[in-house]
Amino acid sequence: MSMADGDSAIPISGEAKPTAGMQIIPGELVASIEEIVMIDPDCYELDLNHRRIDKLENFEPLKQIERLYLRWNLIKKIENLDMLKTLLELELYDNQITKIENLDKLVNLEILDLSFNRLTKIENLDKLLKLEKLYFVANKLTVIENLGMLTNLTMLELGDNKLKKIENIDTLVNLRQLFLGKNKIAKIENLDTLVNLEILSLQANRIVKIENLEKLTNLKELYISENGIETIENLSENKNLDTLDLAKNRLKVIGNLEALEQLEEIWLNDNGIDNWKNLEVLKMNKSLQTIYLEHNPVATDVRYRSKLRDILPHLQKIDATLCVLPGTHA
């Protein structure tokens, strides 16, 4: 199960992928960008992570570079990259960049990671029509904007910003994963056209009602923990859900889950569920294998685990602990 930021885990791009002819040159072994580029100007992948680089320059000799990693540096400005037209992936994660600019010539980019910078506005991406994955974790963005033309996006990560509204993404119909955790979003809305969405993360926002998800019939994972939800509702059309995270909300009752025949994991920890009889509604979810219920009133019962197994004998995991199967020993 994967989550996003503001979520429990931040998706990390830039992992090396086996490619014929690829040569990975570790940046820390040389003194400067210029030196490493001259070692092998025909390299496909260049790792310049964590080298205290403060200026982008001297990339001209790279004629077939596909992946350029510049994580954990001191870069303040995106510049001097125009000649890298073969670039497929660019990582500028954890720098000091304040503006998205000077990327127009990188028309073959498929992955762009600008997480952990100082961006206040999404802009100047309209030429990057091949983008498939776009990461903006932990910036200072206040509005989702200027993304409508990026219709090849399959993943958009906007966790840990200052967004107040889900908007301006209705044309991104190929999105499979959308991460909006740790923002200031108060309402689930404007998602109807994203019918291919499989993962939606809205953790740590200000949402009080589950709504407007009816059109997302391909949704498999919904993460909506750390909000103010009091009622489980409006999920009857999301029949492909296999993971539902409702931890750290204001739930006192479990209900309205009988349509979710594919549900395998449900996270309900840190709520106010106090009625053992109420847990019997989960008998309808025949595929359920994992449940998190710790830090609810029912979890204080000395027979907590055994009672859960009596009600739901098919459970394989309770609160991250595997269940002891009949005929085996703990």
Side-chain angles (χ1 to χ4, degrees):
M1 181 178 64
S2 61
M3 305 179 199
D5 299 21
D7 301 350
S8 301
I10 300 175
I12 298 174
S13 68
E15 294 184 6
K17 303 169 184 64
T19 303
M22 176 182 290
Q23 182 177 359
I24 300 175
I25 303 173
E28 67 273 10
L29 299 182
V30 294
S32 70
I33 294 177
E34 188 172 15
E35 286 181 348
I36 189 171
V37 166
M38 294 314 297
I39 288 173
D40 184 2
D42 295 322
C43 65
Y44 290 99
E45 178 167 325
L46 183 55
D47 180 343
L48 288 167
N49 291 338
H50 215 295
R51 291 188 39 77
R52 303 192 66 79
I53 294 167
D54 59 4
K55 184 176 176 62
L56 294 175
E57 59 186 348
N58 300 319
F59 291 115
E60 287 80 5
L62 298 173
K63 301 302 182 188
Q64 54 188 21
I65 186 76
E66 293 183 354
R67 306 184 189 280
L68 179 57
Y69 304 130
L70 289 152
R71 284 185 172 224
W72 306 304
N73 282 292
L74 304 170
I75 299 161
K76 294 181 173 60
K77 183 179 176 66
I78 303 173
E79 59 186 337
N80 301 321
L81 298 176
D82 283 4
M83 75 296 298
L84 304 182
K85 293 180 172 57
T86 57
L87 209 56
L88 302 178
E89 181 172 357
L90 175 60
E91 274 208 10
L92 290 163
Y93 176 111
D94 203 347
N95 279 280
Q96 300 172 11
I97 297 165
T98 57
K99 183 179 176 65
I100 304 171
E101 59 186 334
N102 300 321
L103 293 171
D104 285 2
K105 303 295 185 182
L106 307 185
V107 294
N108 289 304
L109 265 190
E110 296 174 357
I111 300 173
L112 175 61
D113 192 342
L114 287 164
S115 298
F116 291 88
N117 278 282
R118 300 173 184 178
L119 302 172
T120 57
K121 183 178 177 64
I122 301 172
E123 59 187 333
N124 300 322
L125 296 172
D126 48 295
K127 298 294 191 293
L128 308 185
L129 300 181
K130 293 186 179 181
L131 273 181
E132 295 178 7
K133 296 183 179 181
L134 185 55
Y135 299 80
F136 287 123
V137 180
N139 278 280
K140 299 177 181 179
L141 303 173
T142 56
V143 180
I144 304 173
E145 59 186 337
N146 301 320
L147 294 174
M149 76 298 295
L150 303 180
T151 54
N152 284 311
L153 279 182
T154 60
M155 176 179 180
L156 178 58
E157 166 60 278
L158 287 161
D160 198 2
N161 279 282
K162 298 180 179 180
L163 303 172
K164 294 182 179 179
K165 187 173 183 179
I166 304 172
E167 59 186 336
N168 302 321
I169 56 174
D170 53 293
T171 59
L172 307 184
V173 295
N174 288 305
L175 272 184
R176 300 295 195 276
Q177 302 178 32
L178 176 59
F179 298 94
L180 293 165
K182 203 174 180 185
N183 279 287
K184 299 178 179 181
I185 296 167
K187 184 179 177 67
I188 304 174
E189 60 185 336
N190 300 323
L191 296 172
D192 283 2
T193 59
L194 307 186
V195 295
N196 292 302
L197 209 60
E198 296 177 357
I199 299 176
L200 174 60
S201 175
L202 294 162
Q203 294 174 310
N205 276 286
R206 299 174 179 179
I207 295 165
V208 295
K209 184 178 178 65
I210 302 172
E211 59 185 334
N212 300 320
L213 297 174
E214 292 83 2
K215 300 295 177 61
L216 306 186
T217 55
N218 288 302
L219 201 63
K220 294 181 178 178
E221 300 176 23
L222 175 60
Y223 303 101
I224 196 166
S225 62
E226 295 185 65
N227 280 282
I229 295 166
E230 296 182 357
T231 304
I232 303 172
E233 59 187 333
N234 299 322
L235 293 173
S236 60
E237 299 304 313
N238 308 109
K239 298 182 190 304
N240 286 307
L241 270 182
D242 61 47
T243 301
L244 177 58
D245 179 6
L246 285 160
K248 297 184 180 179
N249 277 285
R250 298 174 183 171
L251 298 172
K252 294 184 177 179
V253 177
I254 304 168
N256 302 317
L257 295 172
E258 59 274 3
L260 306 185
E261 296 181 0
Q262 307 300 317
L263 191 65
E264 296 180 4
E265 292 198 23
I266 187 164
W267 298 49
L268 295 163
N269 52 286
D270 297 273
N271 278 286
I273 297 162
D274 59 2
N275 187 336
W276 277 105
K277 191 75 174 173
N278 178 224
L279 287 165
E280 294 190 6
V281 301
L282 293 174
K283 287 181 176 180
M284 299 291 290
N285 304 100
K286 304 294 187 184
S287 299
L288 193 63
Q289 298 177 9
T290 298
I291 189 169
Y292 283 77
L293 266 174
E294 59 188 345
H295 308 304
N296 280 278
V298 291
T300 62
D301 193 304
V302 293
R303 293 189 60 244
Y304 164 61
R305 288 178 62 86
S306 60
K307 280 189 175 182
L308 263 182
R309 287 300 306 281
D310 288 344
I311 296 170
L312 303 169
H314 298 297
L315 283 181
Q316 296 182 17
K317 190 185 292 186
I318 298 171
D319 299 333
T321 303
L322 291 175
C323 296
V324 178
L325 298 175
T328 64
H329 298 284

